[in-house]
């Protein structure tokens, strides 16, 4: 996740990984606080519209910090982490009643994504070349009617793209965010304006007044930016390869392996 932008308010973390939390005590009586220990109860708060919470308990025996392992099956989403710390003259936080614990929220939110590097994650990919191509690649090609591909900038590591995907995740239930199968299906709906007033409006009529001609798009970034800046109103217009490129971007930001595939001779919209 080092490729994702560093942000003052949030950071991208793959589930199945650990985060280190350092607890610093200070002041004139710092030496007397050697007995300080921490209980880390990480509670999910969905700041993007969803108020459901999930607790993941971790108790630290260290006075200076804790390593918190994020479960490999945790629903994807944006989380806050709260620390509950007890200072009781050497009394461990583990034995302190909850009423004696002080709750402190971390300044950074955590955007938890899937983890194709973790064998316990359902999206695990064993081949490194495939992970580089289907998860990490931010540039590629899409095809629209010929064997010559068009360059497409997926824009996986852009701050605005990450924010846009977090906004889409907030429209998903916890059950959907907890199931990769259900989530990937839900995202096909959220990206299509024909369902749920989604991100992109398809148009095959030949009349593109009031919007962008589908072949003018060169990447996903401009589409996601316009969607968010216009109050989550559908962007005009897209066709098959544009939807494919956009969907690939969203999946890769979520840590779900994905590639853009084009069919040249299909029975879509026919009597067959």
């Amino acid at each position: 996740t080092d490729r994702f932008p560093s942000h003052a308010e949030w950071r991208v973390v793959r589930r199945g990984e650990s985060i280190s939390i350092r607890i610093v005590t200070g002041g004139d009586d710092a030496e007397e606080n050697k007995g300080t220990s921490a209980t880390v109860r990480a509670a999910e708060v969905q700041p993007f519209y969803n108020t459901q919470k999930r607790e993941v308990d971790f108790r630290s025996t260290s006075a200076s910090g804790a390593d918190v392992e994020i479960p490999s099956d945790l629903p994807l989403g944006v989380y806050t982490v709260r620390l509950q710390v007890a200072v009781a003259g050497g009394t461990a936080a583990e034995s302190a009643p909850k009423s004696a614990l002080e709750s402190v929220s971390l300044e950074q939110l955590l955007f938890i994504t899937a983890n194709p590097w973790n064998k316990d994650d359902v999206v695990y990919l064993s081949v490194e070349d495939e992970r580089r191509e289907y998860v990490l690649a931010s540039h590629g090609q899409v095809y629209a009617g010929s064997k010559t591909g068009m360059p497409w900038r997926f824009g996986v590591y852009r701050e605005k793209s990450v924010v846009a995907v977090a906004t889409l995740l907030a429209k998903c239930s916890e059950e959907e965010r907890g199931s990769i199968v259900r989530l990937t299906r839900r995202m096909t709906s959220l990206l299509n304006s024909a369902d749920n007033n989604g991100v992109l409006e398809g148009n095959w009529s030949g009349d593109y007044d009031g919007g962008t001609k589908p072949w003018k798009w060169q990447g996903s970034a401009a589409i996601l930016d316009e969607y968010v800046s216009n109050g989550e109103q559908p962007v005009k217009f897209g066709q098959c390869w544009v939807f494919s490129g956009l969907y690939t971007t969203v999946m890769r930001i979520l840590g779900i392996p994905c590639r853009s595939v084009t069919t040249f001779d299909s029975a879509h919209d026919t009597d067959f």
Side-chain angles (χ1 to χ4, degrees):
T1 57
D2 292 342
R3 301 188 185 192
F4 286 99
S6 177
H7 195 278
E9 296 183 359
W10 49 263
R11 60 177 291 194
V12 177
V13 180
R14 300 195 190 280
R15 61 187 185 180
E17 295 181 348
S18 296
I19 58 172
S20 296
I21 301 174
R22 185 183 180 192
I23 303 167
V24 180
T25 61
D28 295 336
D29 60 345
E31 289 298 319
E32 300 176 4
N33 290 337
K34 291 181 180 180
T36 301
S37 60
T39 299
V40 179
R41 294 188 178 92
E44 173 187 9
V45 178
Q46 289 294 332
F48 300 97
Y49 321 113
N50 191 329
T51 58
Q52 292 182 346
K53 297 180 180 180
R54 170 184 294 268
E55 287 194 354
V56 182
D57 288 342
F58 177 91
R59 292 178 180 270
S60 170
T61 57
S62 167
S64 60
D67 289 329
V68 180
E69 183 175 348
I70 300 168
S72 59
D73 60 350
L74 192 68
L76 309 189
V78 180
Y79 290 71
T80 62
V81 177
R82 290 198 305 269
L83 302 181
Q84 292 183 313
V85 183
V87 180
T91 300
E94 287 87 339
S95 59
K98 283 190 175 182
S99 59
L101 298 176
E102 180 179 354
S103 181
V104 180
S105 294
L106 297 188
E107 294 182 358
Q108 278 192 324
L109 302 173
L110 301 181
F111 186 168
I112 304 300
T113 70
N115 190 351
W117 284 263
N118 189 302
K119 292 182 179 180
D120 294 328
D121 198 309
V122 295
V123 303
Y124 174 67
L125 275 181
S126 61
V127 180
E128 179 59 27
D129 285 346
E130 292 181 356
R131 291 194 292 253
R132 282 197 295 265
E133 176 65 25
Y134 305 148
V135 182
L136 298 178
S138 195
H139 296 79
Q141 303 232 343
V142 295
Y143 296 82
S146 72
K147 64 181 180 180
T148 303
M150 299 180 294
W152 191 267
R153 294 192 291 270
F154 296 109
V156 175
Y157 306 107
R158 294 178 63 259
E159 178 180 322
K160 289 184 178 180
S161 296
V162 175
V163 171
V165 173
T167 302
L168 294 173
L169 264 185
K171 301 177 185 293
C172 304
S173 68
E174 182 175 2
E175 289 74 21
E176 289 169 333
R177 293 185 291 106
S179 166
I180 295 299
V181 173
R182 294 185 63 182
L183 180 61
T184 53
R185 183 57 183 167
R186 173 69 166 145
M187 281 297 173
T188 64
S189 174
L190 290 174
L191 294 183
N192 186 352
S193 70
D195 304 313
N196 307 301
N197 209 36
V199 174
L200 187 61
E201 180 177 333
N203 186 343
W204 288 264
S205 70
D207 180 4
Y208 307 111
D209 288 344
T212 299
K213 297 179 177 64
W215 55 87
K216 291 293 185 180
W217 300 112
Q218 297 180 335
S220 305
I223 299 171
L224 293 172
D225 290 355
E226 185 175 332
Y227 173 71
V228 173
S229 62
N230 287 347
E232 300 173 28
Q233 294 300 306
V235 177
K236 301 178 180 181
F237 295 104
Q239 292 183 1
C240 304
W241 73 93
V242 185
F243 282 102
S244 178
L246 182 62
Y247 187 81
T248 300
T249 294
V250 172
M251 290 296 104
R252 290 183 182 178
I253 289 175
L254 292 175
I256 301 171
C258 186
R259 63 176 176 175
S260 181
V261 177
T262 300
T263 173
F264 291 99
D265 189 10
S266 62
H268 185 61
D269 292 336
T270 73
D271 294 330
F272 294 100

